[in-house]
Amino acid sequence: MSDLDPKELRAALASYMTGVTIVTAQSPGGEPVGFTANSFTSVSLNPPLLLVCPGNHLSSFDAFSNASHFAVNILAEGQEAISNIFASSKGDRFGQVSWQADEYGCPLIDGAAAQFSCNQHQSVDAGDHLILIGKILSFHNAAKPGLGYCRDGYFSLNQERRSEAPAPRDTTIIAAALVELDGQLCVIKDTQGVHIPSVKIGDRAGARSAIAQHLVSIGIEAELGPVYSAFDDTDNANHVTVFRARLSKEPKAANCEFWPISTPMLTELKEPANPDMMRRYQHEYRNNQFGLYIGDAQRGEVHPAEPAQV
């Protein structure tokens, strides 16, 4: 038996960014079955093969093990709710979504970015999962952006691209990071006051690499997550892109302090932190449900990014 900590191993594996799929089939009794999966891989073009890995904890595991056909639905941006239904719902999952059966009786989810109907080409027992290899019999490509997932929740490349759109002239562009460690947030104390780690940059599209390099330069080694907030601070003529990050090593920065994420003092930090952003961050951290904010310091939209149980 392995001595590896399953919880820590799962967290490490979850750092790999993936797409999100709904795998479906028809049970021997003719009922539709399905589950959310990010264990999906293209295997071969000739012959056309793909694979998914249903876990033996699934109530529908036997149905997938014995199914002659199954389908894979790659979810599109905006289909987070469908992913959550098939990841956690115990009720009638298919009664909550719109779908059509393919010619083999496997459900195809309406609005998906792509859909693949397969027969079972091969199956391989692999620990607590089954490697299910399917031969693609037909497919549909809607040419929509796919829904992404990492351990911080869902993400959208289109939304991230919007955060990188050109800033108006005479705007100072700032990249910043919310660096977390065990329920605490890293803040920097210097001659400018107390603020989150940040750096001025020349191009919004270079925000990720710029803040990553800046963190290293001040003695903070952290793993950057997705964009958390992108907003125009018109009062100070700034455009701010903020990333979430996790500390990977004890910081070497002498002026780095860690404050509890729950402390009201976080809403009093100097720019580039925005009081509304910090209040939202505290609320979302408490509920483990994060979104991407795009707008200005007063008005904007939060694009939900609820964590999936995949």
Side-chain angles (χ1 to χ4, degrees), residues 105-300:
C106 303
L108 300 178
I109 306 296
D110 290 354
Q115 301 158 323
F116 304 88
S117 296
C118 309
N119 65 10
Q120 186 174 144
H121 178 76
Q122 184 181 0
S123 64
V124 180
D125 288 324
D128 55 9
H129 281 64
L130 177 72
I131 300 174
L132 189 59
I133 301 175
K135 182 176 181 180
I136 301 170
L137 303 176
S138 63
F139 71 94
H140 174 68
N141 180 11
K144 296 179 179 180
L147 178 65
Y149 183 77
C150 195
R151 63 183 173 193
D152 288 324
Y154 300 113
F155 64 88
S156 158
L157 291 180
N158 270 359
Q159 291 170 5
E160 294 233 359
R161 290 188 187 107
R162 286 177 59 193
S163 74
E164 297 177 352
R169 291 183 179 181
D170 303 321
T171 297
T172 300
I173 304 171
I174 298 173
L178 298 167
V179 182
E180 304 165 6
L181 175 65
D182 299 331
Q184 300 178 93
L185 189 73
C186 173
V187 298
I188 303 296
K189 274 191 173 182
D190 56 23
T191 57
Q192 304 300 314
V194 184
H195 55 88
I196 59 177
S198 61
V199 61
K200 295 180 181 179
I201 59 177
D203 183 358
R204 283 171 67 166
R208 177 176 291 273
S209 58
I211 190 61
Q213 293 171 15
H214 176 69
L215 290 174
V216 172
S217 73
I218 62 174
I220 297 176
E221 295 188 37
E223 177 186 345
L224 282 182
V227 175
Y228 178 69
S229 188
F231 63 92
D232 294 310
D233 180 358
T234 53
D235 290 342
N236 297 290
N238 293 334
H239 173 80
V240 184
T241 301
V242 182
F243 297 83
R244 286 186 65 211
R246 281 191 176 90
L247 197 71
S248 54
K249 287 187 178 181
E250 189 70 23
K252 299 176 183 177
N255 59 346
C256 173
E257 294 186 0
F258 284 89
W259 290 4
I261 292 176
S262 59
T263 180
M265 292 191 297
L266 289 186
T267 63
E268 301 172 6
L269 293 173
K270 292 181 63 64
E271 62 177 60
N274 175 277
D276 288 337
M277 179 186 77
M278 298 310 298
R279 279 190 285 269
R280 177 173 71 90
Y281 170 66
Q282 290 175 317
H283 173 76
E284 292 181 342
Y285 187 90
R286 184 167 58 250
N287 293 287
N288 193 31
Q289 293 182 328
F290 296 94
L292 166 63
Y293 174 89
I294 299 177
D296 59 32
Q298 287 77 41
R299 295 181 303 278

Side-chain angles (χ1 to χ4, degrees), residues 16-78:
Y16 182 65
M17 295 183 182
T18 71
V20 185
T21 70
I22 304 297
V23 185
T24 63
Q26 190 179 76
S27 73
E31 297 298 321
V33 292
F35 65 98
T36 299
N38 57 2
S39 55
F40 162 79
T41 304
S42 169
V43 176
S44 169
L45 291 177
N46 186 23
L49 303 176
L50 56 76
L51 70 78
V52 292
C53 299
N56 60 17
H57 64 282
L58 294 172
S59 59
S60 56
F61 180 76
D62 288 341
F64 281 98
S65 300
N66 299 310
S68 61
H69 295 80
F70 65 92
V72 177
N73 301 267
I74 298 179
L75 295 187
E77 289 183 356

